[in-house]
Amino acid sequence: EKAEHISYTTATTGTLYRMLPTMARVQADTTHTVSIQPAGSGKVLDILVLPGQAVQQGQALLHYQNHSLHIARLQETQTRTALAATLATQQEASQAYTRGKALAGQTVSVGEMQKRLAALQQAKENVAARQAELAVLKHRFDEEYTSPTEQHATQDETSTLVAPFAGTITRLNTAIAADVDPNLPLLTLSDSQHVWLVSDIAPQEAALLAPTGQQLTTLPDGTATQPLHTVIETIGAVADPTTGLVPVLSRVDNSQGHLRPGMVLNSLLQTTQSQSGLLVPADAVQTVNGQNVVFQTVSDTTIRPTPVETGLEENGQIVILSGLQTGARIVQHGSLALKAMMVLPAMDAE
């Protein structure tokens, strides 16, 4: 056995599915993608990231000169000055009204008292109006210019766009010194913890698939030795009018960061075509004189060729329809050498 490097396997009951080979492209998870727009208008000062770069939550992405923030700060200064003036006016009006009440009916007429009361009420309304304006400005600073995607400097008019979550910059739509507008998305951030595998296939092939079917994808060299196992989640209902193909999607946990949007990988999609029986590795089956055989162990020292009827072969496995029992121990690696040992004597006899 050592000389022939023989290894064994056991026949097990199971179901084998026909797999559809396809190409799968990695796409950012659109349910965890955000376009980052500035709160104000102005010009880009500097850009701190590149497309494809991984970023952490709260990381600074871009600085811009926020003209809207500058105007809001000027309004705040002017409103505070106006509030101080109205507070002074209110205090004077209140003192005048208090003195008038003390002298009412003596040196201050009823008409004068009403004028002083009206002036006090007007002063109070002016104070309330200025306080409301400051509250609106505070809300803008706290909510509009400060958010999960933006922070502002406390003194100057510089604003910083920040990452609201850890992910990958998938798009950059601006440049240094470019104009900034609240309606223009500057960056697109995608959560790189999850991505989509998208396979575009013909409609007749899509008819062979079903949601919850398995998808096996070969990862790039050096990242993993085993195929990536995912579940088909979505099968497009209609074909793309441009390509005539139907998209098939499965969602992937990408916490290891092996996959990046734009990658194209070899993949297998599980179809609804299947066959049940005993499953063995395909390389355990050899053809001898036109007959499929496996080499079965009948004792610790004896191996014999056993004719079998085979069925569906897929992804390195084959279905044995008859000729073997469940649990049968057969040769896997080394079966080709055993075949040669059978065939060569027969050839010599001829």
Side-chain angles (χ1 to χ4, degrees):
E1 293 186 6
K2 289 184 179 179
E4 301 297 344
H5 302 288
I6 290 176
S7 65
Y8 299 91
T9 188
T10 301
T12 57
T13 303
T15 301
L16 195 60
Y17 290 87
R18 177 74 69 189
M19 303 298 285
L20 177 68
T22 185
M23 301 299 292
R25 51 190 168 85
V26 180
Q27 178 178 297
D29 187 347
T30 54
T31 63
H32 290 74
T33 297
V34 61
S35 293
I36 302 177
Q37 300 173 217
S41 59
K43 284 191 177 295
V44 176
L45 295 175
D46 54 23
I47 300 170
L48 309 176
V49 293
L50 295 171
Q53 180 176 337
V55 297
Q56 299 301 313
Q57 181 177 4
Q59 182 175 334
L61 309 176
L62 177 151
H63 298 306
Y64 75 96
Q65 189 176 31
N66 191 341
H67 298 331
S68 302
L69 177 62
H70 177 65
I71 293 171
R73 291 201 188 284
L74 289 177
Q75 290 176 337
E76 181 187 34
T77 301
Q78 293 170 350
T79 303
R80 289 192 182 282
T81 301
L83 175 60
T86 53
L87 283 171
T89 301
Q90 175 183 301
Q91 184 176 11
E92 292 176 359
S94 177
Q95 292 173 345
Y97 179 67
T98 301
R99 288 195 301 270
K101 284 177 64 176
L103 300 174
Q106 301 177 19
T107 58
V108 178
S109 65
V110 174
E112 176 64 20
M113 280 293 299
Q114 291 176 340
K115 285 176 58 178
R116 294 185 182 187
L117 178 59
L120 177 58
Q121 291 174 336
Q122 182 63 50
K124 288 180 178 180
E125 290 173 2
N126 289 340
V127 167
R130 301 295 84 75
Q131 289 174 333
E133 290 174 6
L134 282 176
V136 170
L137 288 169
K138 183 179 185 300
H139 177 80
R140 291 187 66 186
F141 292 134
D142 293 345
E143 304 295 333
E144 184 177 342
Y145 298 121
T146 301
S147 70
T149 61
E150 186 161 336
Q151 298 172 352
H152 66 85
T154 56
Q155 300 298 325
D156 60 22
E157 56 187 278
T158 300
S159 287
T160 303
L161 298 185
V162 297
F165 50 76
T168 301
I169 302 297
T170 53
R171 185 171 298 174
L172 181 62
N173 302 323
T174 190
I176 294 176
D179 290 333
V180 170
D181 184 273
N183 297 318
L184 296 176
L186 301 184
L187 307 104
T188 302
L189 176 67
S190 296
D191 175 10
S192 54
Q193 297 295 304
H194 294 90
V195 293
W196 291 102
L197 288 177
V198 184
S199 306
D200 297 307
I201 63 175
Q204 59 269 28
E205 294 175 332
L208 301 175
L209 307 180
T212 73
Q214 295 294 310
Q215 180 169 3
L216 306 180
T217 304
T218 303
L219 293 175
D221 292 341
T223 57
T225 56
Q226 298 296 325
L228 178 66
H229 290 252
T230 55
V231 175
I232 297 173
E233 296 193 21
T234 303
I235 301 171
V238 295
D240 185 292
T242 304
T243 64
L245 301 177
V246 173
V248 178
L249 285 76
S250 64
R251 193 164 182 255
V252 184
D253 180 346
N254 191 39
S255 55
Q256 299 299 316
H258 294 325
L259 302 178
R260 289 185 176 273
M263 292 175 104
V264 179
L265 305 169
N266 291 318
S267 192
L268 296 171
L269 299 173
Q270 178 183 306
T271 71
T272 53
Q273 297 175 334
S274 64
Q275 194 170 50
S276 298
L278 294 181
L279 302 185
V280 301
D283 59 0
V285 179
Q286 301 296 332
T287 302
V288 178
N289 297 327
Q291 172 70 58
N292 289 327
V293 300
V294 296
F295 292 93
Q296 182 177 2
T297 62
V298 294
S299 69
D300 292 341
T301 58
T302 305
I303 298 173
R304 74 180 179 196
T306 302
V308 293
E309 180 186 357
T310 59
L312 180 62
E313 179 180 347
E314 191 66 62
N315 198 31
Q317 287 190 304
I318 191 168
V319 177
I320 304 297
L321 300 175
S322 64
L324 274 186
Q325 297 294 321
T326 302
R329 187 168 180 257
I330 62 174
V331 174
Q332 180 178 353
H333 299 297
S335 62
L336 184 60
L338 293 176
K339 171 186 174 180
M341 293 171 65
M342 290 180 60
V343 173
L344 288 176
M347 292 177 64
D348 291 340
E350 293 177 2

